[in-house]
Short mmCIF file of all heavy atoms in Angstrom, two decimals:
data_model
loop_
_atom_site.label_atom_id
_atom_site.label_comp_id
_atom_site.label_asym_id
_atom_site.label_seq_id
_atom_site.Cartn_x
_atom_site.Cartn_y
_atom_site.Cartn_z
N LYS A 267 10.17 8.75 -1.44
CA LYS A 267 11.34 8.33 -2.25
C LYS A 267 11.02 7.06 -3.04
O LYS A 267 11.94 6.52 -3.67
CB LYS A 267 12.55 8.16 -1.37
CG LYS A 267 13.00 9.34 -0.62
CD LYS A 267 13.43 10.43 -1.55
CE LYS A 267 13.96 11.68 -0.82
NZ LYS A 267 14.25 12.79 -1.74
N GLY A 268 9.82 6.58 -2.99
CA GLY A 268 9.48 5.37 -3.76
C GLY A 268 9.88 4.10 -3.05
O GLY A 268 9.92 3.04 -3.69
N ARG A 269 10.14 4.15 -1.70
CA ARG A 269 10.52 3.01 -0.99
C ARG A 269 9.26 2.35 -0.32
O ARG A 269 8.35 3.12 0.09
CB ARG A 269 11.56 3.36 0.14
CG ARG A 269 12.91 3.83 -0.46
CD ARG A 269 13.93 3.99 0.65
NE ARG A 269 13.56 5.14 1.49
CZ ARG A 269 14.15 6.32 1.48
NH1 ARG A 269 15.17 6.54 0.63
NH2 ARG A 269 13.82 7.29 2.29
N ILE A 270 9.27 1.10 -0.17
CA ILE A 270 8.16 0.40 0.34
C ILE A 270 8.03 0.48 1.84
O ILE A 270 8.96 0.22 2.57
CB ILE A 270 8.19 -1.20 0.00
CG1 ILE A 270 8.21 -1.29 -1.56
CG2 ILE A 270 7.03 -1.97 0.50
CD1 ILE A 270 8.47 -2.70 -2.03
N LEU A 271 6.87 0.94 2.30
CA LEU A 271 6.58 1.08 3.70
C LEU A 271 5.71 -0.07 4.29
O LEU A 271 5.93 -0.50 5.37
CB LEU A 271 5.83 2.42 4.03
CG LEU A 271 6.60 3.69 3.70
CD1 LEU A 271 5.66 4.84 3.95
CD2 LEU A 271 7.83 3.79 4.68
N LEU A 272 4.85 -0.50 3.40
CA LEU A 272 3.85 -1.52 3.89
C LEU A 272 3.37 -2.34 2.60
O LEU A 272 3.15 -1.72 1.53
CB LEU A 272 2.67 -0.83 4.52
CG LEU A 272 1.57 -1.75 5.09
CD1 LEU A 272 2.01 -2.56 6.30
CD2 LEU A 272 0.38 -0.81 5.55
N VAL A 273 3.14 -3.62 2.81
CA VAL A 273 2.56 -4.45 1.77
C VAL A 273 1.41 -5.23 2.40
O VAL A 273 1.40 -5.50 3.59
CB VAL A 273 3.56 -5.34 1.06
CG1 VAL A 273 4.61 -4.53 0.35
CG2 VAL A 273 4.20 -6.34 2.11
N ASN A 274 0.53 -5.69 1.59
CA ASN A 274 -0.59 -6.53 2.11
C ASN A 274 -0.28 -8.04 1.87
O ASN A 274 0.68 -8.37 1.25
CB ASN A 274 -1.90 -6.15 1.56
CG ASN A 274 -2.13 -6.43 0.10
OD1 ASN A 274 -1.12 -6.68 -0.59
ND2 ASN A 274 -3.34 -6.46 -0.38
N ASP A 275 -1.18 -8.93 2.31
CA ASP A 275 -0.94 -10.33 2.22
C ASP A 275 -0.93 -10.84 0.79
O ASP A 275 -0.20 -11.75 0.40
CB ASP A 275 -2.07 -11.13 2.96
CG ASP A 275 -1.93 -11.00 4.48
OD1 ASP A 275 -0.88 -10.59 4.93
OD2 ASP A 275 -2.94 -11.32 5.15
N ALA A 276 -1.63 -10.10 -0.12
CA ALA A 276 -1.65 -10.49 -1.52
C ALA A 276 -0.21 -10.34 -2.12
O ALA A 276 0.18 -11.13 -3.00
CB ALA A 276 -2.60 -9.69 -2.29
N VAL A 277 0.48 -9.29 -1.71
CA VAL A 277 1.88 -9.08 -2.22
C VAL A 277 2.75 -10.21 -1.72
O VAL A 277 3.53 -10.80 -2.42
CB VAL A 277 2.41 -7.69 -1.76
CG1 VAL A 277 3.89 -7.60 -2.13
CG2 VAL A 277 1.59 -6.56 -2.47
N VAL A 278 2.66 -10.50 -0.41
CA VAL A 278 3.53 -11.48 0.23
C VAL A 278 3.30 -12.87 -0.45
O VAL A 278 4.24 -13.55 -0.74
CB VAL A 278 3.20 -11.55 1.72
CG1 VAL A 278 4.01 -12.70 2.32
CG2 VAL A 278 3.54 -10.23 2.43
N ALA A 279 2.02 -13.20 -0.72
CA ALA A 279 1.66 -14.46 -1.35
C ALA A 279 2.24 -14.49 -2.76
O ALA A 279 2.62 -15.62 -3.20
CB ALA A 279 0.20 -14.68 -1.31
N SER A 280 2.25 -13.37 -3.45
CA SER A 280 2.71 -13.37 -4.82
C SER A 280 4.26 -13.45 -4.98
O SER A 280 4.72 -14.23 -5.78
CB SER A 280 2.21 -12.08 -5.53
OG SER A 280 0.82 -11.98 -5.51
N ILE A 281 4.95 -12.71 -4.09
CA ILE A 281 6.40 -12.70 -4.19
C ILE A 281 7.06 -13.79 -3.44
O ILE A 281 8.24 -14.22 -3.69
CB ILE A 281 6.84 -11.28 -3.69
CG1 ILE A 281 6.32 -10.19 -4.60
CG2 ILE A 281 8.40 -11.21 -3.69
CD1 ILE A 281 6.77 -8.78 -4.23
N GLU A 282 6.32 -14.33 -2.42
CA GLU A 282 6.86 -15.41 -1.60
C GLU A 282 8.11 -14.91 -0.84
O GLU A 282 9.06 -15.63 -0.76
CB GLU A 282 7.21 -16.66 -2.45
CG GLU A 282 5.93 -17.30 -3.09
CD GLU A 282 6.25 -18.53 -3.85
OE1 GLU A 282 7.48 -18.79 -4.07
OE2 GLU A 282 5.30 -19.26 -4.26
N GLN A 283 8.02 -13.74 -0.32
CA GLN A 283 9.05 -13.18 0.60
C GLN A 283 8.35 -12.72 1.82
O GLN A 283 7.14 -12.38 1.85
CB GLN A 283 9.85 -12.04 -0.04
CG GLN A 283 10.76 -12.46 -1.14
CD GLN A 283 11.57 -11.24 -1.59
OE1 GLN A 283 11.67 -10.28 -0.92
NE2 GLN A 283 12.14 -11.34 -2.83
N GLN A 284 9.09 -12.64 2.97
CA GLN A 284 8.53 -12.03 4.18
C GLN A 284 8.47 -10.53 4.03
O GLN A 284 9.34 -9.91 3.35
CB GLN A 284 9.48 -12.40 5.38
CG GLN A 284 9.42 -13.89 5.72
CD GLN A 284 8.06 -14.37 6.04
OE1 GLN A 284 7.28 -13.72 6.83
NE2 GLN A 284 7.62 -15.47 5.52
N PRO A 285 7.47 -9.89 4.58
CA PRO A 285 7.29 -8.48 4.46
C PRO A 285 8.57 -7.66 4.88
O PRO A 285 8.93 -6.69 4.27
CB PRO A 285 6.13 -8.14 5.42
CG PRO A 285 5.38 -9.41 5.50
CD PRO A 285 6.36 -10.48 5.40
N GLU A 286 9.29 -8.20 5.91
CA GLU A 286 10.44 -7.50 6.43
C GLU A 286 11.54 -7.38 5.33
O GLU A 286 12.30 -6.48 5.35
CB GLU A 286 11.01 -8.18 7.71
CG GLU A 286 10.04 -8.16 8.88
CD GLU A 286 8.91 -9.19 8.76
OE1 GLU A 286 8.98 -10.10 7.91
OE2 GLU A 286 7.89 -9.10 9.55
N GLN A 287 11.58 -8.43 4.46
CA GLN A 287 12.55 -8.38 3.40
C GLN A 287 12.31 -7.30 2.32
O GLN A 287 13.24 -6.92 1.61
CB GLN A 287 12.67 -9.77 2.77
CG GLN A 287 13.04 -10.89 3.67
CD GLN A 287 13.05 -12.23 3.02
OE1 GLN A 287 12.01 -12.89 3.02
NE2 GLN A 287 14.14 -12.67 2.47
N MET A 288 11.03 -6.94 2.18
CA MET A 288 10.64 -5.98 1.15
C MET A 288 10.64 -4.58 1.70
O MET A 288 10.85 -3.65 0.93
CB MET A 288 9.25 -6.29 0.60
CG MET A 288 9.17 -7.50 -0.28
SD MET A 288 7.57 -7.84 -0.83
CE MET A 288 6.90 -8.79 0.50
N LEU A 289 10.45 -4.33 3.00
CA LEU A 289 10.31 -2.99 3.51
C LEU A 289 11.58 -2.24 3.35
O LEU A 289 12.63 -2.73 3.68
CB LEU A 289 9.86 -3.11 4.99
CG LEU A 289 8.54 -3.80 5.30
CD1 LEU A 289 8.19 -3.57 6.78
CD2 LEU A 289 7.44 -3.24 4.44
N GLY A 290 11.45 -1.03 2.85
CA GLY A 290 12.63 -0.19 2.53
C GLY A 290 13.21 -0.39 1.12
O GLY A 290 14.10 0.37 0.72
N SER A 291 12.76 -1.40 0.43
CA SER A 291 13.22 -1.60 -0.94
C SER A 291 12.59 -0.61 -1.83
O SER A 291 11.48 -0.17 -1.61
CB SER A 291 12.95 -3.04 -1.40
OG SER A 291 13.56 -3.96 -0.51
N GLU A 292 13.26 -0.36 -2.98
CA GLU A 292 12.66 0.49 -4.04
C GLU A 292 11.56 -0.23 -4.76
O GLU A 292 11.71 -1.40 -5.09
CB GLU A 292 13.73 0.94 -4.99
CG GLU A 292 14.88 1.62 -4.37
CD GLU A 292 15.05 3.10 -4.83
OE1 GLU A 292 14.45 3.36 -5.89
OE2 GLU A 292 15.69 3.87 -4.17
N ILE A 293 10.42 0.40 -4.92
CA ILE A 293 9.29 -0.21 -5.64
C ILE A 293 9.71 -0.68 -7.02
O ILE A 293 9.11 -1.63 -7.53
CB ILE A 293 8.07 0.74 -5.66
CG1 ILE A 293 6.89 0.02 -6.20
CG2 ILE A 293 8.35 1.98 -6.47
CD1 ILE A 293 6.38 -1.18 -5.43
N ASN A 294 10.60 0.02 -7.71
CA ASN A 294 10.98 -0.39 -9.04
C ASN A 294 11.65 -1.74 -9.14
O ASN A 294 11.87 -2.28 -10.25
CB ASN A 294 11.81 0.69 -9.71
CG ASN A 294 11.01 1.95 -10.11
OD1 ASN A 294 11.15 3.01 -9.50
ND2 ASN A 294 10.09 1.75 -11.03
N GLU A 295 12.12 -2.25 -7.92
CA GLU A 295 12.67 -3.63 -7.99
C GLU A 295 11.63 -4.66 -8.27
O GLU A 295 11.89 -5.79 -8.71
CB GLU A 295 13.32 -3.94 -6.59
CG GLU A 295 14.56 -3.08 -6.29
CD GLU A 295 15.17 -3.44 -4.98
OE1 GLU A 295 14.96 -4.59 -4.54
OE2 GLU A 295 15.86 -2.54 -4.38
N PHE A 296 10.37 -4.35 -7.95
CA PHE A 296 9.27 -5.31 -8.11
C PHE A 296 8.29 -4.91 -9.19
O PHE A 296 7.71 -5.81 -9.81
CB PHE A 296 8.52 -5.41 -6.77
CG PHE A 296 9.33 -5.83 -5.61
CD1 PHE A 296 9.90 -4.85 -4.74
CD2 PHE A 296 9.60 -7.14 -5.39
CE1 PHE A 296 10.64 -5.25 -3.64
CE2 PHE A 296 10.39 -7.51 -4.23
CZ PHE A 296 10.94 -6.55 -3.47
N VAL A 297 8.08 -3.63 -9.36
CA VAL A 297 7.06 -3.18 -10.38
C VAL A 297 7.80 -2.38 -11.42
O VAL A 297 8.44 -1.35 -11.06
CB VAL A 297 5.96 -2.37 -9.71
CG1 VAL A 297 4.95 -1.84 -10.74
CG2 VAL A 297 5.23 -3.21 -8.65
N ARG A 298 7.63 -2.74 -12.71
CA ARG A 298 8.37 -2.04 -13.76
C ARG A 298 7.37 -1.47 -14.78
O ARG A 298 6.21 -1.89 -14.83
CB ARG A 298 9.36 -2.96 -14.49
CG ARG A 298 10.42 -3.46 -13.59
CD ARG A 298 11.35 -4.43 -14.27
NE ARG A 298 12.46 -4.91 -13.44
CZ ARG A 298 12.39 -5.86 -12.61
NH1 ARG A 298 11.32 -6.53 -12.42
NH2 ARG A 298 13.47 -6.11 -11.83
N GLY A 299 7.85 -0.45 -15.47
CA GLY A 299 6.96 0.17 -16.55
C GLY A 299 6.53 1.58 -16.12
O GLY A 299 5.75 2.20 -16.90
N PHE A 300 6.97 2.06 -14.96
CA PHE A 300 6.56 3.40 -14.54
C PHE A 300 7.68 4.00 -13.65
O PHE A 300 8.20 3.29 -12.77
CB PHE A 300 5.24 3.39 -13.76
CG PHE A 300 4.78 4.75 -13.34
CD1 PHE A 300 4.25 5.63 -14.20
CD2 PHE A 300 4.79 5.09 -12.03
CE1 PHE A 300 3.86 6.92 -13.82
CE2 PHE A 300 4.37 6.33 -11.54
CZ PHE A 300 3.88 7.25 -12.45
N ASN A 301 8.05 5.24 -13.89
CA ASN A 301 9.11 5.93 -13.15
C ASN A 301 8.49 6.55 -11.89
O ASN A 301 8.02 7.66 -11.92
CB ASN A 301 9.79 6.95 -13.98
CG ASN A 301 11.11 7.47 -13.33
OD1 ASN A 301 11.19 7.54 -12.11
ND2 ASN A 301 12.10 7.83 -14.12
N PHE A 302 8.43 5.76 -10.83
CA PHE A 302 7.76 6.30 -9.58
C PHE A 302 8.52 7.51 -9.03
O PHE A 302 7.82 8.47 -8.55
CB PHE A 302 7.78 5.14 -8.51
CG PHE A 302 6.81 4.05 -8.83
CD1 PHE A 302 7.15 3.00 -9.60
CD2 PHE A 302 5.47 4.12 -8.36
CE1 PHE A 302 6.24 1.99 -9.94
CE2 PHE A 302 4.59 3.11 -8.70
CZ PHE A 302 4.96 2.05 -9.46
N GLN A 303 9.81 7.48 -9.01
CA GLN A 303 10.59 8.56 -8.40
C GLN A 303 10.37 9.89 -9.19
O GLN A 303 10.11 10.97 -8.55
CB GLN A 303 12.08 8.28 -8.37
CG GLN A 303 12.89 9.22 -7.55
CD GLN A 303 12.38 9.31 -6.10
OE1 GLN A 303 12.31 8.30 -5.37
NE2 GLN A 303 12.04 10.49 -5.59
N LYS A 304 10.30 9.82 -10.51
CA LYS A 304 10.11 11.00 -11.26
C LYS A 304 8.66 11.56 -11.09
O LYS A 304 8.45 12.81 -10.93
CB LYS A 304 10.28 10.71 -12.78
CG LYS A 304 10.14 11.88 -13.69
CD LYS A 304 10.32 11.51 -15.18
CE LYS A 304 10.11 12.69 -16.12
NZ LYS A 304 10.29 12.33 -17.53
N TRP A 305 7.70 10.69 -10.90
CA TRP A 305 6.38 11.10 -10.58
C TRP A 305 6.25 11.73 -9.26
O TRP A 305 5.60 12.76 -9.05
CB TRP A 305 5.45 9.82 -10.68
CG TRP A 305 4.02 10.11 -10.31
CD1 TRP A 305 3.11 10.83 -10.96
CD2 TRP A 305 3.39 9.58 -9.10
NE1 TRP A 305 1.89 10.73 -10.27
CE2 TRP A 305 2.01 10.02 -9.15
CE3 TRP A 305 3.77 8.74 -8.06
CZ2 TRP A 305 1.13 9.76 -8.16
CZ3 TRP A 305 2.88 8.42 -7.06
CH2 TRP A 305 1.56 8.90 -7.18
N LEU A 306 6.93 11.13 -8.21
CA LEU A 306 6.87 11.66 -6.88
C LEU A 306 7.58 12.98 -6.75
O LEU A 306 7.25 13.87 -5.93
CB LEU A 306 7.50 10.68 -5.82
CG LEU A 306 6.64 9.41 -5.63
CD1 LEU A 306 7.46 8.30 -4.89
CD2 LEU A 306 5.41 9.74 -4.71
N ASP A 307 8.62 13.22 -7.60
CA ASP A 307 9.40 14.46 -7.52
C ASP A 307 8.77 15.57 -8.41
O ASP A 307 9.27 16.69 -8.37
CB ASP A 307 10.84 14.21 -8.04
CG ASP A 307 11.64 13.35 -7.06
OD1 ASP A 307 11.21 13.32 -5.88
OD2 ASP A 307 12.62 12.77 -7.50
#
């Protein structure tokens, strides 16, 4: 569904958020310019 399951340390360092705060969020909240859901469907 395009939801975040796992991120690495480089993502955490870039966004300056704890991984737990990102898990379950839609990827389009952080990465724009591509329709992930349409691609996955």
